[in-house]
Amino acid sequence: MKEVFDVLPKRLVHWINSIDEREIQKIEEIRIRHSQALELDVNGRVMYLPGKGSQQGVRDEEMQYILNQLSNYSLYTLDEELKRGYITIKGGHRVGLAGKVVTDQGRVKGIRAVSSFNIRIAKQTLGVADRYVPRLIQAGKWKSTLLIGAPKTGKTTFLRDIARIISEGFPSERLPAKKVGIVDERSEIAGSLKGVPQHTFGPRVDVLDACPKAEGMMMMIRSMSPDVLVVDEIGRKEDTEAIVEAMNAGVRVIASVHGDDWHDVRRRPALEPLWEGNVFERFVEFAPHSKPGTIAAIRRPRDVTQAVSK
């Protein structure tokens, strides 16, 4: 939390430090709203500091302090980040912003007069994917895999760890280290700061940060010749076309998608070419309403095909 505390006013840091240390370690989001109490998401439970309805809301000067810390007192240096609505800070933590949006001919130029911040705490859990590796490989090769789950079910944490394992190799399964290309459109997988990943990935990872997925996958294939591409939250027609192109180029793809289960994902028209071409060889379903990272099932294409035919 040190990197987060570095951008917060002392009074807000004091509020957070007033709760149990074990609770602090479980914080997933810190929401800061002008004139309102501090809101914490503690492992799915909402907590207000110094208390809900308290008159000690966040002050105007404290909002400005946070903005100054994020921008190093020069908001214009963050124009590109503000167009996306969030800023990545040291440690890979992501700060979302809301307020007065500035537009030019219908396009977002940035955000001024910020009224809310949402700090999403980046947490890397090494080893969460280790036990599943044998089910995601065949004959010593990685299988193209689609991770399916609702928000906050642990898809990105799993995706991040898989990227690390591929880059480092997995001796127990005699898997050598492979080149990994991460296309990180939302800066959530690698949590890059000025292009440098803030998470541990091993020696063979290359990252395109804040780059649109479809374009980024093609850029990676042309310039970095990855063995495996890693992307999160696919869903557009362009994403599907790029994945098919990557597969035709002999590149394995490991991706994630929002959905309750494969039934839900299977109905999306934009993803239809992925089923028609049998692009993915494994489907990992994350259990909703369970502890993040809980995997409900790992399916093969024939399991899905048989279920659809029934």
Side-chain angles (χ1 to χ4, degrees):
M1 294 289 287
K2 180 185 182 302
E3 297 91 351
V4 174
F5 286 168
D6 284 345
V7 303
L8 296 180
K10 291 182 179 179
R11 192 171 70 121
L12 274 58
V13 173
H14 175 73
W15 286 353
I16 296 172
N17 280 329
S18 69
I19 68 176
D20 190 278
E21 175 65 26
R22 291 169 295 182
E23 298 283 87
I24 294 176
Q25 297 305 315
K26 296 178 182 177
I27 295 175
E28 297 179 356
E29 291 183 350
I30 302 173
R31 291 185 178 268
I32 304 164
R33 301 182 179 97
H34 193 285
S35 304
Q36 301 296 319
L38 203 66
E39 179 182 314
L40 306 181
D41 181 332
V42 184
N43 199 24
R45 179 171 60 89
V46 177
M47 179 184 295
Y48 294 95
L49 299 175
K52 191 172 184 179
S54 170
Q55 298 300 310
Q56 298 185 58
V58 180
R59 301 165 181 162
D60 183 71
E61 61 269 23
E62 290 171 327
M63 298 292 290
Q64 189 60 50
Y65 177 90
I66 296 170
L67 199 56
N68 287 340
Q69 292 301 108
L70 293 173
S71 65
N72 197 25
Y73 292 85
S74 179
L75 194 60
Y76 293 100
T77 63
L78 295 177
D79 272 351
E80 288 304 313
E81 288 90 343
L82 291 174
K83 288 178 184 177
R84 301 198 305 259
Y86 63 85
I87 298 166
T88 301
I89 63 175
K90 190 174 181 181
H93 311 291
R94 199 170 81 166
V95 184
L97 304 93
K100 174 64 176 178
V101 175
V102 180
T103 62
D104 182 16
Q105 297 181 351
R107 294 180 177 273
V108 174
K109 288 187 61 180
I111 299 176
R112 299 291 185 267
V114 176
S115 59
S116 302
F117 297 99
N118 179 30
I119 304 176
R120 298 186 63 176
I121 308 301
K123 296 178 180 179
Q124 181 172 20
T125 308
L126 302 179
V128 295
D130 285 0
R131 59 184 292 198
Y132 301 103
V133 169
R135 302 181 66 182
L136 303 180
I137 61 172
Q138 187 172 336
K141 295 182 179 180
W142 289 94
K143 312 307 284 184
S144 289
T145 301
L146 183 63
L147 312 182
I148 303 169
K152 295 189 176 182
T153 51
K155 299 189 304 300
T156 302
T157 299
F158 192 91
L159 196 66
R160 187 182 295 132
D161 204 43
I162 283 291
R164 176 191 63 82
I165 292 170
I166 298 170
S167 166
E168 293 181 341
F170 204 70
S172 65
E173 294 293 330
R174 297 183 180 179
L175 290 173
K178 296 288 185 179
K179 293 174 292 183
V180 184
I182 299 177
V183 182
D184 200 4
E185 182 170 0
R186 301 178 304 148
S187 304
E188 284 201 318
I189 305 173
S192 297
L193 179 65
K194 296 182 179 179
V196 180
Q198 298 295 290
H199 295 296
T200 300
F201 286 110
R204 306 200 73 188
V205 164
D206 302 297
V207 180
L208 281 177
D209 182 51
C211 180
K213 284 183 282 289
E215 186 175 354
M217 282 187 271
M218 294 301 96
M219 289 172 63
M220 271 292 183
I221 292 171
R222 289 193 298 266
S223 61
M224 306 305 293
S225 64
D227 297 305
V228 182
L229 275 174
V230 171
V231 296
D232 67 344
E233 308 306 350
I234 64 170
R236 298 178 302 171
K237 178 183 177 183
E238 294 87 347
D239 300 338
T240 299
E241 292 172 348
I243 290 172
V244 172
E245 285 295 321
M247 296 296 294
N248 289 337
V251 179
R252 307 288 177 167
V253 178
I254 299 182
S256 67
V257 64
H258 276 322
D260 293 330
D261 52 33
W262 65 265
H263 290 280
D264 183 19
V265 176
R266 183 67 176 78
R267 291 192 290 264
R268 298 185 190 174
L271 301 180
E272 186 64 31
L274 300 179
W275 319 127
E276 293 176 349
N278 291 320
V279 169
F280 288 108
E281 301 160 285
R282 296 291 185 272
F283 300 90
V284 180
E285 295 179 18
F286 288 77
H289 316 301
S290 299
K291 181 181 177 181
T294 302
I295 291 178
I298 297 180
R299 305 181 190 275
R300 300 186 181 194
R302 66 169 179 262
D303 302 327
V304 175
T305 302
Q306 290 171 357
V308 170
S309 64
K310 293 178 182 178

